[in-house]
Amino acid sequence: MTEVFLTDAIITGCSSTELRRRILQQDRPLGEIEALGITLEGIEHQVKDFSHKASDQSTDNRILKISSKPLGKPDDRSAYMPPKSFTKKPYKSQNADFSCYNCGRRNHIASAEVCPAKGKICHLCKRVGHFQSRCRFRKLQDKSTIHSKKIRLVEEEKNDTQILEDNGKTYYAFHTGNDSNIVKCEIGGVALDVLIDSGSDVNLVTDAAWQHLKQKNVKIHQSAKGSSRILRGYASNIPLTILRTFITDVQISGKSIRAEFYVIKGGQRCLLGDQTSKSLGILKVGLDIHLIGTDTKPFSKIKDVQVHIQMDSGVKPIFQPLRRVPMPLEDAVNKKLELMLSRDIIERKEGPATWVSPLVVVGKSDGDPRICLDLHRVNEAVLRERHPMPIVDDYLARLGEGKYWTKLDIKEAFLQIELAPESRDVTTFITNKGLFRFKRLPFGLVTAPELFQKVMDQVLAGCSGTMWYLDDVIIEGNDLQQHDARLNEVV
C-alpha cells in the first residue's frame, strides 16, 4: 500500500508530463519509477543545455522526488520539499566533471550506452541497471522502514495497533486491515460487528461504537473513565487516549461470557481479543482444530436384522499381503480405524484367519479417508442372493401423482446392516496395526446391494406412497396431511 500511495503522489505532484504519461501507460514498481524519473531528468537537463536555456529555467521544472516525511499542513511548504538525500544537483555541461548515477564513473550520463552498469544486476536490491555502490533503492527501503509510521500519513492515519502495558507485562492488540474475520455478536445486548484478532490480548471498542452502544441502552456491569494502564501506538511513545473501560456480557451463538472492553479515541475497528474469542469458542488454535468431537457411541443399525454371506466351499481361501498406506495418510487411517472400533463397525480378528483382504484407502471430497476393502478374490467365492433389484424406470413412471414429496438418504447405508458372526471372517483385512474384520456389511462385497435391498423390502413393506432404491427413499402425498402421515410411518 505504501508503494501505491507514493506512486499516486508522484503522478499528482510531478511536473514532468512525460513521466506522468509513462506511469499511467504501464504499472511500474516504485524503484523503476524512481529510475525512470532520474533518466528523464538527465535528458531534460541535456535538452536545456543544448538549447542554451538552462539558466532561464525555474527549479520548479525538476521532477519531484518522493519523501518519507509526513505531509504537513496545506500552508507548510517544508512538508512537500524532497529530502536532501534524494535531491539531485543541476546537470552540468557534458565537459563538466560529474558522476553517473548508475556506475559512479565520470563524464557520461546514466542513460548513456557506454555506461558499464547497463544490464548489470545490483547485489543489494537485485534490480538491473546499476552497481551495488550506487544503489538508491535499498536506501529508500531502509528509510521507508525506519519512517514506516510516517509514510502511513499519506492517508489519514488510524490507530491500528495498540500495546497495553501493566505491571511490567506488555499486551498487544493488532489490526492489519483484514476484515475477513468479522463476526456479529451482542455486547451488552446490542448487536455489533467485531473483528476476531488472535494477536490481541484486550477487547477494544472505538469511540463511535461506544456512542452507538449508549444510544441502544447497552447493559454494563461496571464502568469507569479512563484507565490506569498505558496504551501506546506501535513504534510510538505517545500514549493513546483511553476514554473509558467497561465490563459487560458478550454473546455469540447462544454462548455468553463476561469481558472487559477499552474505549479508544479515534479507534479504527472493534476488536475481540484472543482470550475472549477462545472462551466463546469462536477461535481455536491447535493441530486438531479440524476434528469434530469424536463420537464414541455405536453406529446405528437396523434392529433384529443379521445377514449371512454364503460362500462356495469348493474355493480355497486366499491370504493377500499387506498394502502399504501412503505415509501422509497413515495417521488419518489409524484414527479412522480407532473410530470404527469405538463405533462397533469393525473388531479385531482373533485366532487363525482364512480369507484376508488388503486395505484400500479412498479420499472423500471433505479430505476424510474412506476405508474400503479389495474383495475381488472374496467375491469370486461368494454365492449371490439373486434378489430382484427394482427398475428405476418403473419408479420414474409412478412419480408425479402426488403433490408433496420427501426424499430420505440413509447415511452409510450398508454399515447399518449387521453381519452374522459366522459370516464375518470373510471380511478380514490386514493393516499395519494387525488384522480386523467387519461386524457390518462392508462396501465392495458383490452381494452387498442385493442383501441391502432385501432388508429394505422387508422393513418398508406395507408403507403406502413410498418407493425406495437401495439407500434412497421417496415419500409422496396428494396433500400435506397425507404426506406427513406417510412420512411418520416410515420414520
Side-chain angles (χ1 to χ4, degrees), residues 162-165 204 229-233 238-240 242 264:
Q162 293 88 26
I163 302 178
L164 180 65
E165 295 183 351
L204 304 182
R229 295 174 175 176
I230 300 175
L231 199 63
R232 292 190 176 95
I238 302 176
L240 300 176
I242 303 177
I264 306 300

Side-chain angles (χ1 to χ4, degrees), residues 224-404:
K225 290 186 177 181
S227 175
S228 60
R229 295 174 175 176
I230 300 175
L231 199 63
R232 292 190 176 95
Y234 177 71
S236 173
N237 293 324
I238 302 176
L240 300 176
T241 303
I242 303 177
L243 301 178
R244 179 172 296 275
T245 60
F246 64 94
I247 298 176
T248 185
D249 293 330
V250 187
Q251 182 176 355
I252 295 181
S253 300
K255 188 171 183 179
S256 177
I257 64 170
R258 186 167 296 183
E260 183 179 21
F261 287 83
Y262 295 84
V263 181
I264 306 300
K265 182 179 180 180
Q268 179 180 359
R269 168 66 67 184
C270 298
L271 302 182
L272 203 61
D274 177 77
Q275 188 60 45
T276 303
S277 300
K278 290 179 178 177
S279 300
L280 288 169
I282 56 178
L283 177 64
K284 295 183 180 180
V285 179
L287 299 177
D288 58 344
I289 58 175
H290 295 296
L291 294 181
I292 302 174
T294 302
D295 188 2
T296 57
K297 297 180 180 179
F299 190 71
S300 59
K301 62 182 179 181
I302 301 177
K303 296 180 180 180
D304 303 325
V305 173
Q306 286 187 346
V307 296
H308 297 263
I309 302 176
Q310 305 296 333
M311 302 293 292
D312 186 354
S313 59
V315 178
K316 183 179 179 181
I318 298 176
F319 182 98
Q320 299 186 65
L322 171 68
R323 291 183 187 174
R324 294 292 179 184
V325 176
M327 293 185 63
L329 297 178
E330 281 186 356
D331 291 340
V333 170
N334 291 334
K335 291 180 180 179
K336 188 71 174 181
L337 291 175
E338 292 296 331
L339 179 61
M340 294 174 71
L341 276 172
S342 64
R343 304 193 70 188
D344 199 39
I345 296 175
I346 62 175
E347 62 183 359
R348 292 189 178 274
K349 168 62 179 171
E350 305 293 343
T354 53
W355 291 94
V356 176
S357 302
L359 186 66
V360 179
V361 180
V362 179
K364 297 195 293 187
S365 58
D366 59 357
D368 188 38
R370 185 193 298 276
I371 303 299
C372 302
L373 304 182
D374 184 0
L375 296 174
H376 75 280
R377 301 307 299 268
V378 174
N379 289 334
E380 294 175 358
V382 172
L383 299 176
R384 297 182 59 176
E385 291 280 335
R386 302 300 179 183
H387 182 79
M389 298 293 291
I391 300 176
V392 178
D393 291 341
D394 292 343
Y395 284 159
L396 294 177
R398 283 186 282 172
L399 284 175
E401 297 179 358
K403 295 182 179 180
Y404 296 89

Side-chain angles (χ1 to χ4, degrees), residues 30-62:
L30 184 61
E32 186 177 338
I33 294 175
E34 175 72 12
L36 180 61
I38 293 172
T39 301
L40 292 177
E41 181 183 18
I43 294 174
E44 184 177 350
H45 283 303
Q46 290 185 63
V47 173
K48 293 176 183 178
D49 287 341
F50 291 152
S51 59
H52 303 287
K53 295 181 180 181
S55 60
D56 298 332
Q57 298 295 322
S58 172
T59 57
D60 292 337
N61 289 332
R62 292 177 301 170

